Amino acid sequence: MSHHVVNLISIPLFTGAIGYLTNWSGVWMLFNPVHFKGWRVRGLAGLAEVLPRKIQQIPGIAHGGIGWQGIIPSRAAKMGSIAVDKGIAKLGSPSEFYKQLEPDKIAEHILASAREDIRDVTERTLEREHPGLWHDLTPRMRERVHERVQQQLPEIVRELTDDIGENIDHLMDIKLMVIRRMEERPELANRIFQDVGKKELRFIINFGFFFGAALGFPLVFITEALPYWWVLPLGGVVIGYVTNWMALWMIFEPVEPHQIGPVKVHGLFIRRQPEVAEVYAKIIADDIVTLRNMGDELLTGPQSDRTRWMVQSRLRPAIDRSVGPAKPAVRIAVGRRQYDAIRESLAEEAVEYTMTPLADPEFNRQQSTEVRKLIADRMRVLPSKDFSELLRSAMREDEWLLLLHGAVLGFGAGLLHLAIFGPG
């Protein structure tokens, strides 16, 4: 077999390898590394502000770094915003998610977990604010105070969980909550793509080889008709670019199914909507819209002062009731201002202990089941366009990087072919 024939036969194999390598490395670049790897360059951040927007979008450039970070984790905040706008906000409101977490069971869990903590808070606060009064009480009288506080707890906690449910849409911004979680844990953005689009990502990689090899056959005839050294590198650019573009198109397009003869054409990701709904719902319910995260947002988010005020307003009357008929005498004994300070201090410190049980991992796991079901049920009936946008919109403005990457690798593979086999 002549060198020329071997050269021609090798072209489809090389173009298949181009397709596979560009798609495999393109998928890797989507997710890795999770955190930026590279070098900070003095003055680059300022220069980036005047560079074209496309250049600014390259991970690291806007922050003055040369290196790489996976496209998806580098866009974690944006992913969180899109996840809410395109998906979570359409799947349920904060109040609906809260109802699915079963406020009655939340109240029971808080009650069971907080009893000893509230007792310690009561003891510690009175010791700190008015040690003389507390020590002057007999053990029986102290125990009576604790008993009255404990008697108040069931009513306080149930009123509290009801209040949160009625006001939660104003107490927390679910979009900010999701963005914060994504920024804190950019690997969650990766999980959404990798778990939800697992089959499609594998398809992209495998499709690269077969489609690249198929494009290699017409390239054989082109090289015969145009026996110039630049034909193979240029062909590699086209094949690397088109292979990536075609793979992305087949995953998300067409949004609505079309029948072409006996073949139904429909985006590969979109046609799996019922299956994907379960996977997506599990990630959101187990790691993002959780009771723990909602509780943390209520206590530390932008509206946390309103949450704390609401909890304290429920606790203050309970403290008065715990003193019982002795309240007037106690206020006289310690002074009105001191009594109010004790009550305020006790209410403020009790807020943390009342909400802390929401962080219990086992309780979160149990309660996430209903949220998962709500999200999955609603996601199954999302319009196809909205469903497609869940993943596509987060990638769209960065797709040019993947296409450019394919073109560059294709050009390099064409030069490598020339180096091994020569121009013809």
Side-chain angles (χ1 to χ4, degrees):
M1 189 179 297
S2 70
H3 173 77
H4 182 67
V5 173
V6 172
N7 188 358
L8 295 177
I9 292 175
S10 68
I11 289 176
L13 296 177
F14 250 74
T15 56
I18 292 171
Y20 185 90
L21 182 61
T22 56
N23 286 11
W24 175 85
S25 56
V27 167
W28 187 90
M29 291 172 65
L30 276 175
F31 305 111
N32 298 287
V34 173
H35 301 284
F36 179 78
K37 302 291 185 184
W39 302 269
R40 300 293 175 184
V41 178
R42 187 186 300 273
L44 182 58
L47 177 63
E49 295 177 3
V50 299
L51 292 175
R53 179 171 170 77
K54 291 287 187 185
I55 303 300
Q56 292 181 33
Q57 290 172 355
I58 298 174
I61 294 292
H63 301 290
I66 294 179
W68 188 255
Q69 181 182 9
I71 290 174
I72 300 304
S74 75
R75 308 287 191 264
K78 178 185 171 185
M79 272 286 298
S81 177
I82 290 171
V84 174
D85 293 340
K86 301 296 183 181
I88 296 173
K90 297 179 181 181
L91 301 174
S93 66
S95 59
E96 288 178 299
F97 290 131
Y98 184 75
K99 287 175 185 175
Q100 295 300 313
L101 290 168
E102 301 175 290
D104 288 344
K105 289 188 178 180
I106 293 173
E108 291 173 9
H109 183 69
I110 291 174
L111 194 57
S113 304
R115 280 196 182 276
E116 285 304 312
D117 289 330
I118 295 298
R119 181 183 178 91
D120 291 342
V121 170
T122 304
E123 185 100 24
R124 191 166 57 249
T125 303
L126 289 169
E127 282 270 12
R128 182 181 65 239
E129 300 292 339
H130 211 293
L133 172 66
W134 188 244
H135 289 298
D136 287 344
L137 295 177
T138 65
R140 182 181 177 84
M141 293 174 68
R142 290 187 208 171
E143 195 57 37
R144 183 61 181 152
V145 171
H146 284 306
E147 286 175 6
R148 292 183 71 87
V149 171
Q150 295 293 329
Q151 287 169 5
Q152 301 293 321
L153 271 181
E155 182 182 352
I156 296 168
V157 171
R158 285 187 173 82
E159 288 176 349
L160 179 59
T161 53
D162 288 345
D163 281 352
I164 290 174
E166 290 171 8
N167 296 282
I168 197 167
D169 287 331
H170 307 292
L171 294 175
M172 65 177 294
D173 186 326
I174 199 164
K175 184 171 184 175
L176 291 179
M177 183 189 83
V178 173
I179 289 173
R180 281 211 301 169
R181 300 304 158 196
M182 290 285 201
E183 284 183 322
E184 290 168 3
R185 298 179 57 195
E187 67 275 10
L188 282 178
N190 275 358
R191 274 195 59 204
I192 289 175
F193 270 86
Q194 290 172 327
D195 291 4
V196 169
K198 187 175 182 178
K199 291 184 178 180
E200 287 70 34
L201 293 172
R202 173 50 54 188
F203 169 82
I204 285 178
I205 295 171
N206 292 335
F207 174 81
F209 175 80
F210 295 106
F211 190 69
L215 291 179
F217 288 101
L219 187 59
V220 170
F221 295 101
I222 293 173
T223 56
E224 282 289 277
L226 298 170
Y228 304 109
W229 72 266
W230 47 264
V231 172
L232 273 178
L234 185 61
V237 168
V238 173
I239 290 171
Y241 185 96
V242 172
T243 302
N244 274 1
W245 179 86
M246 191 66 182
L248 288 170
W249 187 89
M250 291 180 68
I251 288 173
F252 296 108
E253 302 290 343
V255 173
E256 301 295 341
H258 294 283
Q259 198 73 31
I260 302 177
V263 180
K264 184 171 79 170
V265 182
H266 196 197
L268 296 174
F269 173 68
I270 304 166
R271 69 173 62 180
R272 289 202 306 119
Q273 186 165 348
E275 178 187 347
V276 168
E278 290 288 346
V279 180
Y280 185 84
K282 185 177 188 306
I283 295 170
I284 299 299
D286 290 355
D287 293 294
I288 298 177
V289 184
T290 67
L291 184 57
R292 175 176 187 158
N293 289 345
M294 292 177 79
D296 184 56
E297 190 69 17
L298 287 170
L299 282 185
T300 63
Q303 303 298 326
S304 59
D305 56 334
R306 298 178 64 179
T307 304
R308 290 174 183 276
W309 177 87
M310 188 181 72
V311 176
Q312 290 168 18
S313 67
R314 279 293 179 192
L315 291 172
R316 289 189 197 100
I319 294 165
D320 288 337
R321 293 196 297 267
S322 70
V323 178
K327 176 185 172 183
V330 172
R331 292 190 74 170
I332 292 171
V334 303
R336 178 177 177 179
R337 186 172 297 177
Q338 185 65 23
Y339 175 84
D340 290 344
I342 293 172
R343 185 180 67 161
E344 193 68 25
S345 179
L346 183 56
E348 287 178 7
E349 193 164 346
V351 171
E352 302 291 340
Y353 290 92
T354 305
M355 303 298 285
T356 297
L358 302 185
D360 180 2
E362 180 58 26
F363 186 66
N364 270 260
R365 187 188 63 77
Q366 294 170 3
Q367 300 308 106
S368 70
T369 304
E370 292 301 318
V371 174
R372 188 186 310 168
K373 185 176 183 299
L374 171 69
I375 294 174
D377 288 345
R378 294 195 176 178
M379 193 169 177
R380 288 191 194 97
V381 296
L382 268 182
S384 295
K385 183 177 180 181
D386 290 338
F387 179 74
S388 173
E389 286 296 301
L390 276 176
L391 296 190
R392 185 71 187 273
S393 55
M395 294 174 58
R396 184 173 282 114
E397 70 179 38
D398 297 314
E399 285 177 3
W400 72 273
L401 281 170
L402 298 178
L403 300 179
L404 176 63
H405 165 76
V408 170
L409 281 185
F411 182 78
L415 292 178
L416 180 62
H417 188 277
L418 284 174
I420 295 174
F421 295 100

